[in-house]
């Protein structure tokens, strides 16, 4: 019996609903009491049983007029939302009412009624847009006012549909979701707005014209309401095909026309860097428009349009007008921008490659073919190569195509003038490897040689290089002018790696001859010590294998008796050990150290054999004519004139020429300069060279390293003063601990040598790696 009153109370509660919207508190309390009463009738034991709630045996029926009354209230609520006034009813009540209607199979009618109400409201909105003229002046405010009006209408519509959907959410999630042909309440709202407002020809035309006008003004530099544009274009995108079919097509057409005209005009008015900067700016602006208010799908066609009209149509014109000046002036940022922009356009890189190659060929040809530039040709080539390498690395992103074409272009222009580049490269190497070249450290010298090898690779006539290189190498080896044996062998190794063993076999033979000559001289000195009359002249002879060395023209000169005697002694010694060989003396390569006495005191001269023969004549007299000297020495005329020039017209004037003058003429008299003065004790008098400078230019080390050198010197002296005696490795280790800056072992070695030369420290006589401090 406890169940029966429970059922009745539930039924009465439902029937007692006012239109099914709320449960009155009195009825709810009655139901509770009934339930409680039922429980009480069961006695004390019934309270411990589980409460079982069962479904209705029969579904309750809706009261008469319930559907009509409920829809009336929903209709009023929708109307209030559309009119932007407050709703009389609680939103929860309205939601519950929709749920109740949907539970009693009224969903189809409810959806139809809701659509009708919304459609009538949207149709009514079109009237507010009729007041605007169909054709609006481009500069009038009508366009902007119209856009704001349509935007407000759209925003209001969206807000209203969100509110309406929240009330009819149960309908949307049940009935509409189960019927695939029906649009959701939100999509229904979009469909109505599209069909009745945006699809209206007049409204659509005005809207799109107004949007395009705003974009045009922004492109011209005016400030526009971007949020308005974003909202309107978002509206067109939400309305499905309206954006693509009606807006995007016209937008791209206008963009195309704008940039086509702008490209033509600015190519005439602006220089290339400014033009490219403008193109880049335009691309950034259009990219920003896509991010800010255009649909993302527009990005690709829009950017392609800008690239085509501002770049694609003008590729050759841009390069013809400005690439050479950009490269000449080494404008890295502009070249980087050029590469980046050209890489965006189809065929852009290919045409840039062609002009890049032409520039290298043209510029390189001006360096190579002009004889007036021969003096600086190799340095200019190295500088040019460094420049194009830097451009490829920084501007062209190390693109392999640009690297390979650069190599081909170098090879083309450098061989336009046969032989000369090869000769000058050999001479350049000679200038770098010759003693007295203090321009570079060992590491820098190695880098220079590597760079020269790159230029060397481009040369076809490598045999010409070999001939000149061999000639200069011979001079360095025989006169002792080589700056570093390690650098010489490093260069030889590079040539061997580049050209093969056959190319360097003779050069290696020259080094072998010099090593063998040292061994022979050790034996000769021992031989001389065993002679009864060893003499007071110290003779050093280099024995050269004729096939390895350059061909020298023998010159017969008149040596004094002591020299002839020494030659015969050496000949007897050498042929006694190596029978069947023939010795031929090369007088042009000979040199000597002479001791001389002047009023100021004694001096020593490092001179060539020809200078020696001339100076020795002044032991027999104080004055000789040109003809007398020529007769006595037997030196060839032009060689003798250069020799006398070096002794009487150079910096160290051991002889006085009468009459004075730079050139030696027939009949000139030469007098011994007893008043000769010089700050050095040993003086090297260079022979005047044909077509070559007299002395090497000595350059100081870079300022950046000067302070470090002083600090290294001070640290070495401090350590040695404290330790007195120290091994090389320990000294270097101690220096690394004391010095605050990074330093290379080679630099330390140079500073140690410098201090030894200046008598701050000395090497151990028995162990060259041991140093002693000199107090």
């Amino acid at each position: 019996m406890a169940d029966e009153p429970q059922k009745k109370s539930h039924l009465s509660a439902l029937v007692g609903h006012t239109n099914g919207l709320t449960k009155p508190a009195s009825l709810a309390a009655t139901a509770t009491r009934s339930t409680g009463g039922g429980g009480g009738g069961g006695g004390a034991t019934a309270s411990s049983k589980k409460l079982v709630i069962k479904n209705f045996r029969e579904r309750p029926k809706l009261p008469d007029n319930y559907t009509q009354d409920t829809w009336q209230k929903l209709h009023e609520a929708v109307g209030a939302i559309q009119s932007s006034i407050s709703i009389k009813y609680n939103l929860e009540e309205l939601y519950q009412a929709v749920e109740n209607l949907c539970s009693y199979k009224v969903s189809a009618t409810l959806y139809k009624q809701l659509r009708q109400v919304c459609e009538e409201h949207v149709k009514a909105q079109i009237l507010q847009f009729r007041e605007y003229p169909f054709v609006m002046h481009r500069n009038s405010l009508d366009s902007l006012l119209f856009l704001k009006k349509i935007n407000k209408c759209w925003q209001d519509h969206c807000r209203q549909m969100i509110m309406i959907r929240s009330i009819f959410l149960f309908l949307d999630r049940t009935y509409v979701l189960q019927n695939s042909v029906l649009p959701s309440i939100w999509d229904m709202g979009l469909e109505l707005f599209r069909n009745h407002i945006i699809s209206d020809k007049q409204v659509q035309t005005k809207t799109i014209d107004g949007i395009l006008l705003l974009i045009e003004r922004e492109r011209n530099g005016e400030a526009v309401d971007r949020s308005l544009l974003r909202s309107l274009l978002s509206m067109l995108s939400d309305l499905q095909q309206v954006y693509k079919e009606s807006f995007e097509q016209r937008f791209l057409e206008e963009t195309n026309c704008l940039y086509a005209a702008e490209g033509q005009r600015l190519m005439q008015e602006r220089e290339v860097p400014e033009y490219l900067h403008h193109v880049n700016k335009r691309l950034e602006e259009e990219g920003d428009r896509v991010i800010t208010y255009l649909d993302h799908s527009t990005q690709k066609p829009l950017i392609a349009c800008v690239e085509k009209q501002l770049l694609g149509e003008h590729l050759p014109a841009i390069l013809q007008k400005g690439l050479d000046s950009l490269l000449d002036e080494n404008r890295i940022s502009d070249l980087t921008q050029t590469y980046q922009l050209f890489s965006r356009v189809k065929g852009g890189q290919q045409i840039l490659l062609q002009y890049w190659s032409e520039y290298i060929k043209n510029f390189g040809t001006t360096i190579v073919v002009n004889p007036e530039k021969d003096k600086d040709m190799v340095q200019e080539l190295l500088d040019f190569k460094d420049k194009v390498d830097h451009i490829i690395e920084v501007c062209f992103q190390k693109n392999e195509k640009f690297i390979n074409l650069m190599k081909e272009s170098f090879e083309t222009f450098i061989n336009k003038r046969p032989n000369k580049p090869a000769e000058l490269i050999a001479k350049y190497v000679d200038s770098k490897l010759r003693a007295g070249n203090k321009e570079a450290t060992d590491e820098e010298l190695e880098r220079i040689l590597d760079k020269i090898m790159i230029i060397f690779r481009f040369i076809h006539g490598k045999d010409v290089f070999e001939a000149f290189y061999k000639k200069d190498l011979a001079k360095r080896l025989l006169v002792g002018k080589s700056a570093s044996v390690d650098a010489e062998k490093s260069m030889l190794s590079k040539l061997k790696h580049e050209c093969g063993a056959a190319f360097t076999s003779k050069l290696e033979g020259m080094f072998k001859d010099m090593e063998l000559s040292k061994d022979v001289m050790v034996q000769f000195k021992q031989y001389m010590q065993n002679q009864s009359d060893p003499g007071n002249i110290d003779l050093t002879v280099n024995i050269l294998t004729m096939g390895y060395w350059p061909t020298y023209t023998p010159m017969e000169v008149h040596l004094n008796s002591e020299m002839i005697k020494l030659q015969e002694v050496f000949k007897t010694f050498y042929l006694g050990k190596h029978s069947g060989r023939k010795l031929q003396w090369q007088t042009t390569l000979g040199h000597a150290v002479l001791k001389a006495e002047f009023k100021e005191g004694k001096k020593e001269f490092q001179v060539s054999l020809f200078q020696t023969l001339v100076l020795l004549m002044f032991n027999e007299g104080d004055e000789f004519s040109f003809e007398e000297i020529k007769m006595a020495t037997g030196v060839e005329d032009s060689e003798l004139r250069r020799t006398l020039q070096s002794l009487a017209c150079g910096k160290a004037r051991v002889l006085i020429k009468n009459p004075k003058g730079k050139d030696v003429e027939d009949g000139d008299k030469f007098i011994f300069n007893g008043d000769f003065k010089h700050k050095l004790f040993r003086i090297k008098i260079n022979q005047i060279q044909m077509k070559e400078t007299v002395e090497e230019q000595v350059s100081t080390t870079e300022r950046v390293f000067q302070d470090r050198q002083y600090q290294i010197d001070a640290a070495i002296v401090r350590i040695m003063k404290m330790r007195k005696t120290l091994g090389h490795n320990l000294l270097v280790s101690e220096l690394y601990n004391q010095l605050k800056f990074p330093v290379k072992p080679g630099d330390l070695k140079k500073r140690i040598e410098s201090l030894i030369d200046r008598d701050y420290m000395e090497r151990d006589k028995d162990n060259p790696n041991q140093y002693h401090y000199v107090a």
Side-chain angles (χ1 to χ4, degrees), residues 9 24 33 130 208 239 293 370 383 429 449 454 464 499 521 606 628 630 668 676 680 682 685 714:
S9 64
R33 279 197 301 274
R130 301 292 189 197
I208 291 170
L239 300 176
Y293 54 75
N370 186 356
D383 293 343
V429 175
L449 295 179
I454 293 170
V464 177
C499 304
M521 290 319 297
Q606 281 183 276
E628 286 170 337
K630 184 178 178 181
D668 284 355
F676 176 79
L680 299 176
R682 177 172 281 194
I685 303 176

Side-chain angles (χ1 to χ4, degrees), residues 118-132:
C118 291
E119 189 167 15
E120 286 170 1
H121 174 72
V122 172
K123 279 181 178 177
Q125 299 304 307
I126 197 72
L127 298 173
Q128 64 182 308
F129 303 114
R130 301 292 189 197
E131 62 192 61
Y132 291 91

Side-chain angles (χ1 to χ4, degrees), residues 32 47 54 67 69 87 160 216 266 337 398 426 472 504 582 657 699 707 763:
T32 307
S47 62
K54 296 182 179 179
T67 304
D69 292 345
I87 305 166
Q160 291 161 13
E216 183 186 331
L266 293 182
Q337 190 173 65
K398 300 180 184 176
D472 292 330
T504 57
K582 183 182 177 184
K657 187 172 88 74
S699 64
D707 291 339
R763 271 198 176 85

Side-chain angles (χ1 to χ4, degrees), residues 555-622:
M555 188 184 295
E556 292 295 330
V557 293
H558 305 151
L559 302 176
N560 64 20
S561 57
E562 287 183 349
M563 290 182 181
I564 294 169
K565 181 184 173 185
L566 267 173
Q567 277 187 345
E568 290 302 322
V569 171
F570 181 81
K571 189 174 180 181
T572 304
F573 157 77
Y574 186 78
L575 294 179
K577 286 184 172 290
H578 306 280
S579 59
R581 293 190 181 179
K582 183 182 177 184
L583 289 177
Q584 184 182 56
W585 297 93
Q586 294 291 348
T587 54
T588 53
L589 302 175
H591 54 95
V593 176
L594 292 180
K595 292 180 180 178
E597 289 188 22
F598 298 96
K599 290 177 183 177
E600 191 187 47
K602 293 182 178 180
K603 298 285 183 187
E604 285 187 0
F605 294 114
Q606 281 183 276
V607 286
S608 70
L609 180 60
F610 298 153
Q611 290 170 327
T612 303
L613 295 177
V614 171
L615 290 175
L616 287 175
M617 282 184 67
F618 289 88
N619 285 335
E620 309 299 328
D622 289 339

Side-chain angles (χ1 to χ4, degrees), residues 150 154 193 198 207 230-239:
I150 196 83
W154 166 249
F193 195 88
I198 291 300
T207 304
R230 181 164 57 245
S231 179
L232 289 168
L233 289 167
S234 174
M235 172 189 78
L236 296 182
S237 295
D238 289 344
L239 300 176

